[in-house]
Amino acid sequence: MKRFKRFHGNSQNSLIDKYHLYTGEKLNWFQVTFRLERAIFPIIFPWVLFCSIYGFLVSLLYHYDLPIAFAESNGILTNAVLSFNIGFTLLLVFRTNTAHDRFWEGRQLWGALVNTSRNLTRGIWIIVKDKTPEDRLEKESILRLVVAFAFAMKLHLRSAPLDDQLASLMSKKQYLQLQESDNRPLKIAFWIGDYLQYQQERNCLDIYQLTSLQECVDELVDILGGCERILKTPLPLIYTIKLRQLLFIFCLILPLEVVSYLTWWTAPVIAFVSFTLLSIEQIGSEIEEPFGFDPNDLPLNRICNTIASNVEELIGFTSEYYSNRLFNLE
């Protein structure tokens, strides 16, 4: 008993820690479970209720000796149902795996965005020469535009309007220009590239340094394109429709197959089976587009805040470093 409690407690802590690492929120085990289930339960509940009522009606008709159950001696029909069950289950697994591949590709792209942002901001801060104090301020504003690219890409993928957090990362003039743009992260990438080109014309960068930094900007645009590809290329709708048709047929056939064994337990069992299968199918539908607001989607807010924190730490660290170096020289 003590071993069970210890294992159960470790499982809870693992779930809590994983959710905290994923989203940055510190919740207890019940809150985490409720939040994750809440995203799918309202969608599948009407179908689960329908399947349970249907299972009860099948049990009721069987109780009054109506020939509704499949004959136990009919081996051909039993084998046909079994083959249907296996094929349907494999199709459901394939659907879920395909959705997870899209989810994981989206996570890889956002992970690459974090690394590319670090490399680009570090390169701009170290390589671009400061000739005046105004150059230093301009460089800080460009570093914050790299952060703005991440926030703008998040809003772009979510089809969300511009917010105050994005406005705080740029000038008012830039913010007004951004409101008129159709592809806002691409506009920000253009500003960053234009700044680098201007610095090369001022002899603050050589051509090799310019090429290296522009490659980082190109990587930002490639990451944006990869996310747009996932967003604008969903799984074929006929695939989803056919899977749900098979799921519906499966839930209609299963009570007829098991009612002779379960009798009045048919409704609870069918409710449980339909809840499990519908949950798996709905999870696939939810994670195939991983850039939304659902609890099971990618934690884009946390990723963007990580990039912002990295840049602000870079600016603060280098400013303190230069101050200490000048103090030591004196």
Side-chain angles (χ1 to χ4, degrees):
M1 187 67 180
K2 292 181 178 180
R3 182 179 300 178
F4 172 78
K5 290 181 178 179
R6 184 169 58 253
F7 174 78
H8 185 62
N10 291 337
S11 300
Q12 285 186 331
N13 292 333
S14 176
L15 178 62
I16 294 171
D17 293 339
K18 288 179 180 179
Y19 189 79
H20 176 68
L21 179 65
Y22 188 73
T23 65
E25 297 182 271
K26 193 68 175 179
L27 303 175
N28 60 43
W29 181 86
F30 177 78
Q31 290 173 323
V32 172
T33 304
F34 178 76
R35 177 169 296 187
L36 296 178
E37 290 288 348
R38 186 178 59 182
I40 61 175
F41 185 75
I43 299 175
I44 67 173
F45 176 74
W47 291 102
V48 174
L49 181 62
F50 169 80
C51 291
S52 61
I53 294 175
Y54 172 72
F56 174 77
L57 292 177
V58 170
S59 299
L60 186 64
L61 295 176
Y62 181 79
H63 176 72
Y64 286 103
D65 297 328
L66 292 177
I68 192 172
F70 290 159
E72 298 181 12
S73 59
N74 194 338
I76 297 178
L77 185 59
T78 302
N79 292 333
V81 173
L82 180 61
S83 300
F84 176 84
N85 295 348
I86 296 174
F88 164 73
T89 304
L90 292 176
L91 184 63
L92 185 62
V93 171
F94 177 78
R95 165 75 167 82
T96 305
N97 288 341
T98 303
H100 182 267
D101 289 341
R102 292 166 57 87
F103 177 89
W104 182 240
E105 184 182 2
R107 182 62 185 91
Q108 288 179 313
L109 288 169
W110 275 87
L113 177 65
V114 174
N115 295 335
T116 304
S117 300
R118 289 170 176 169
N119 290 330
L120 179 59
T121 53
R122 179 177 52 85
I124 292 175
W125 193 256
I126 295 175
I127 296 175
V128 178
K129 300 176 183 178
D130 301 333
K131 295 182 177 180
T132 64
E134 288 75 17
D135 290 343
R136 174 62 64 89
L137 294 177
E138 184 180 14
K139 192 159 63 170
E140 290 182 5
S141 66
I142 290 299
L143 262 60
R144 292 189 173 96
L145 277 184
V146 177
V147 179
F149 178 90
F151 281 93
M153 192 172 88
K154 175 190 70 174
L155 299 176
H156 175 70
L157 296 174
R158 291 177 170 179
S159 299
L162 302 182
D163 55 18
D164 295 337
Q165 194 170 22
L166 186 60
S168 65
L169 297 170
M170 61 186 65
S171 65
K172 185 176 181 181
K173 180 180 178 181
Q174 289 173 328
Y175 185 74
L176 293 175
Q177 292 180 2
L178 206 62
Q179 288 179 324
E180 300 174 356
S181 176
D182 293 331
N183 195 317
R184 290 152 181 170
L186 187 61
K187 183 75 171 179
I188 295 175
F190 169 79
W191 289 338
I192 298 172
D194 184 63
Y195 165 81
L196 296 175
Q197 187 66 41
Y198 176 65
Q199 296 304 316
Q200 195 270 334
E201 294 172 357
R202 295 178 61 226
N203 295 322
C204 295
L205 286 173
D206 60 38
I207 187 62
Y208 301 104
Q209 293 169 335
L210 174 65
T211 301
S212 177
L213 294 177
Q214 288 286 19
E215 287 178 353
C216 289
V217 179
D218 293 341
E219 288 181 20
L220 293 180
V221 178
D222 290 341
I223 292 169
L224 171 64
C227 291
E228 288 178 333
R229 172 174 49 81
I230 294 175
L231 180 66
K232 298 181 179 180
T233 312
L235 291 176
L237 295 179
I238 187 61
Y239 189 85
T240 302
I241 293 173
K242 182 58 64 177
L243 180 60
R244 292 184 177 179
Q245 287 177 347
L246 294 177
L247 179 58
F248 182 71
I249 294 173
F250 176 81
C251 292
L252 291 180
I253 293 177
L254 186 60
L256 306 180
E257 184 181 0
V258 302
V259 66
S260 59
Y261 302 99
L262 300 178
T263 59
W264 292 111
W265 284 97
T266 301
V269 171
I270 297 303
F272 174 77
V273 172
S274 63
F275 174 79
T276 302
L277 295 178
L278 288 168
S279 297
I280 296 174
E281 195 278 332
Q282 185 58 36
I283 289 172
S285 298
E286 185 171 333
I287 66 175
E288 70 174 336
E289 184 183 324
F291 307 122
F293 298 92
D294 295 326
N296 296 303
D297 289 331
L298 291 174
L300 301 188
N301 292 334
R302 184 172 176 81
I303 296 174
C304 290
N305 290 335
T306 297
I307 296 174
S309 176
N310 293 156
V311 171
E312 293 300 329
E313 184 177 3
L314 175 65
I315 294 173
F317 171 76
T318 50
S319 298
E320 182 181 356
Y321 171 77
Y322 285 124
S323 298
N324 293 335
R325 189 171 67 173
L326 291 174
F327 176 78
N328 292 331
L329 289 176
E330 293 177 357

